[in-house]
């Protein structure tokens, strides 16, 4: 599906009656680049393949042709009778989603069959590829070790795969995505004591923000002081003996944790030792939890009332700290592989 249009463009550019001028190819490049920005996934890659071929043609063509020839070639190569209309082109590209899904399913089935023939472990990551959702490593065969019996390490990776970062402390069969994962691909490295192949990397798709996150974050960021109701928990998930109900207050200069009666538990200005990140517990409740480290040697495990509140609290604190040129992220530090 991806290679077909690209091959057609290459053939049509070579076989066209006459040659295109540089100005015609330049206009085609500009249009394709604009279209590529409006797409994602396989559709963006498809247009990218066409754009790469047109770019090569642009560098070597300098003859004179009519202004409409490049449109004819694009329509023929993409098999889209759109009369050069960008909106129609986008619509018809989107209609190929069902075919893309079918091809992906066939590829996955083929990989699974090949893995079985070679005796390779069969595992995959399941769960919604959305901020705050739990991702699970599951076995796809009764012939392999259960994920709980394997060593698992989670990673975040840039979309192009050029940057990968170990998520420190995420070592169970589950992982709850957090704001640092937005736009990233999440990977799991699995090693079974019974598998001679050693480590396998499994990947999810890019983590998306969800329907309400960005809207609520924008509204919250306008406030000088944001307050969240939380539970203070031990590492095993139980509440503390002294204080359980508390309020977390985040403003432009500091983070403060107080009891419901307003007694101070901890107040700390943003500093280079501070960390604020999603809990890496391998439990169903980890998507509600965050770890706040005010200073080295001191930490609080906090459970929020909703997944959205947890993610907004983390991001608001990080944004406020960033304005002060301070990195408040997880123990692995800020991930520099984001496109933006």
């Amino acid at each position: 599906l991806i290679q077909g249009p690209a091959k057609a463009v290459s053939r049509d550019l070579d076989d066209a009656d006459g040659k295109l001028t540089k100005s015609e190819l330049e206009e085609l490049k500009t249009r394709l680049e604009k279209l590529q920005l409006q797409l994602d996934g396989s559709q963006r890659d498809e247009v990218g393949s066409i754009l790469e071929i047109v770019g090569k043609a642009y560098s070597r063509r300098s003859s004179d042709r009519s202004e409409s020839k490049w449109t004819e070639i694009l329509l023929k190569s993409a098999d889209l009778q759109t009369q050069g209309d960008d909106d129609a082109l986008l619509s018809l590209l989107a209609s190929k989603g069902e075919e893309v899904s079918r091809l992906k399913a066939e590829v996955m089935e083929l990989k699974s069959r090949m893995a079985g023939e070679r005796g390779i472990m069969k595992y995959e990551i399941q769960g919604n590829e959305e901020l705050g959702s739990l991702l699970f490593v599951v076995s796809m065969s009764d012939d392999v070790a259960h994920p709980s019996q394997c060593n698992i390490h989670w990673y975040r990776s840039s979309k192009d795969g050029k940057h990968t970062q170990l998520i420190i402390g995420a070592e169970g069969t589950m992982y709850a995505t957090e704001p640092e994962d937005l736009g990233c691909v999440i990977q799991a490295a699995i090693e079974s004591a019974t598998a001679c192949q050693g480590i396998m990397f499994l990947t999810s798709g890019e983590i998306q923000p969800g329907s309400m996150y960005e809207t609520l974050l924008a509204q919250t960021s306008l406030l000088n002081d944001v307050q969240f109701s939380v539970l203070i928990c031990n590492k095993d998930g139980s509440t503390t003996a002294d204080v359980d109900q508390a309020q977390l207050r985040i403003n432009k200069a500091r983070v403060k944790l107080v009891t419901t009666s307003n007694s101070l538990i901890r107040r700390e200005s943003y500093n280079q030792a501070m960390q604020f990140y999603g809990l890496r517990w391998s439990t169903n409740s980890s998507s509600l939890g965050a770890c706040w480290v005010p200073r080295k040697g001191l930490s609080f495990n906090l459970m929020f009332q909703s997944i959205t509140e947890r993610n907004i609290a983390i991001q608001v604190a990080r944004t406020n700290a960033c304005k002060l040129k301070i990195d408040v992220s997880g123990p692995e530090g800020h991930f520099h592989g984001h496109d933006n």
Side-chain angles (χ1 to χ4, degrees):
L1 181 64
I2 294 175
Q3 293 178 350
K7 289 181 178 178
V9 170
S10 181
R11 183 180 62 250
D12 290 341
L13 284 174
D14 290 336
D15 297 342
D17 180 21
K19 297 181 179 179
L20 304 180
T21 66
K22 282 189 176 181
S23 61
E24 290 167 346
L25 285 168
E26 184 176 13
E27 186 174 0
L28 176 55
K29 277 178 57 184
T30 301
R31 182 176 171 188
L32 286 172
E33 288 167 353
K34 178 182 176 182
L35 175 60
Q36 190 180 32
L37 294 175
Q38 302 177 56
L39 300 173
D40 55 20
S42 60
Q43 295 174 353
R44 183 171 183 172
D45 293 338
E46 181 179 346
V47 175
S49 299
I50 299 174
L51 182 59
E52 181 178 357
I53 294 171
V54 173
K56 291 180 181 178
Y58 171 73
S59 66
R60 66 175 187 266
R61 298 293 176 91
S62 59
S63 354
D64 213 5
R65 289 295 291 169
S66 68
E67 291 297 324
S68 61
K69 187 61 181 177
W70 63 268
T71 304
E72 178 185 341
I73 288 176
L74 176 61
L75 295 176
K76 180 180 177 182
S77 65
D79 194 26
L80 303 172
Q81 301 302 318
T82 64
Q83 302 300 319
D85 182 82
D86 286 341
D87 291 337
L89 185 58
L90 283 171
S91 176
L92 289 173
L93 281 173
S95 71
K96 291 183 177 287
E98 184 176 345
E99 186 177 355
V100 171
S101 298
R102 178 181 60 78
L103 291 174
K104 284 183 178 179
E106 291 177 1
V107 170
M108 290 299 295
E109 182 180 354
L110 178 60
K111 286 183 177 179
S112 179
R113 185 164 62 250
M114 292 174 63
E117 292 172 353
R118 298 175 184 174
I120 299 175
M121 295 187 306
K122 291 186 288 185
Y123 299 93
E124 73 174 23
I125 294 177
Q126 294 184 356
N128 294 328
E129 294 158 353
E130 187 173 295
L131 179 59
S133 293
L134 280 173
L135 299 179
F136 307 82
V137 173
V138 298
S139 58
M140 304 302 293
S141 171
D142 295 333
D143 299 329
V144 297
H146 190 273
S148 62
Q149 299 173 340
C150 303
N151 293 323
I152 301 176
H153 299 280
W154 294 83
Y155 296 78
R156 62 177 62 96
S157 176
S158 58
K159 291 186 292 186
D160 57 13
K162 294 181 180 180
H163 304 274
T164 300
Q165 180 183 55
L166 173 66
I167 304 173
I168 296 176
E171 299 177 348
T173 59
M174 305 180 195
Y175 173 67
T177 56
E178 61 150 279
E180 194 74 22
D181 300 321
L182 281 173
C184 295
V185 173
I186 302 300
Q187 301 177 333
I190 306 172
E191 184 176 12
S192 170
T194 61
C196 59
Q197 289 83 10
I199 296 177
M200 290 184 59
F201 282 89
L202 309 174
T203 62
S204 71
E206 297 169 23
I207 302 302
Q208 304 298 322
S211 58
M212 294 299 296
Y213 172 75
E214 292 181 324
T215 300
L216 293 175
L217 179 62
Q219 295 173 351
T220 305
S221 299
L222 298 176
L223 304 176
N224 292 324
D225 198 313
V226 187
Q227 181 173 296
F228 302 90
S229 295
V230 296
L231 292 176
I232 303 176
C233 299
N234 297 314
K235 289 185 177 181
D236 61 1
S238 63
T239 56
T240 61
D242 298 330
V243 179
D244 51 4
Q245 298 278 350
Q247 292 181 345
L248 182 71
R249 298 173 182 173
I250 304 174
N251 64 28
K252 306 296 183 182
R254 65 183 63 85
V255 179
K256 183 165 63 173
L257 189 62
V258 300
T259 66
T260 52
S261 61
N262 209 32
S263 298
L264 181 64
I265 300 174
R266 185 73 187 188
R267 177 177 56 213
E268 199 73 48
S269 298
Y270 298 114
N271 61 82
Q272 296 296 343
M274 183 180 290
Q275 298 174 4
F276 203 174
Y277 57 95
L279 286 179
R280 279 86 191 263
W281 299 348
S282 187
T283 64
N284 290 324
S285 61
S286 58
S287 58
L288 292 170
C291 181
W292 177 44
V293 181
R295 288 196 173 274
K296 188 175 181 180
L298 177 64
S299 65
F300 296 92
N301 298 317
L302 308 175
M303 286 291 173
F304 290 77
Q305 293 185 333
S306 72
I307 295 173
T308 301
E309 285 190 7
R310 171 254 208 181
N311 292 322
I312 288 178
I314 292 174
Q315 189 57 50
V316 167
R318 289 180 179 177
T319 300
N320 291 342
C322 184
K323 292 177 180 178
L324 300 174
K325 302 187 183 303
I326 297 173
D327 175 22
V328 173
S329 54
E332 63 276 358
H334 176 64
F335 181 55
H336 297 286
H338 294 294
D339 289 346
N340 54 354

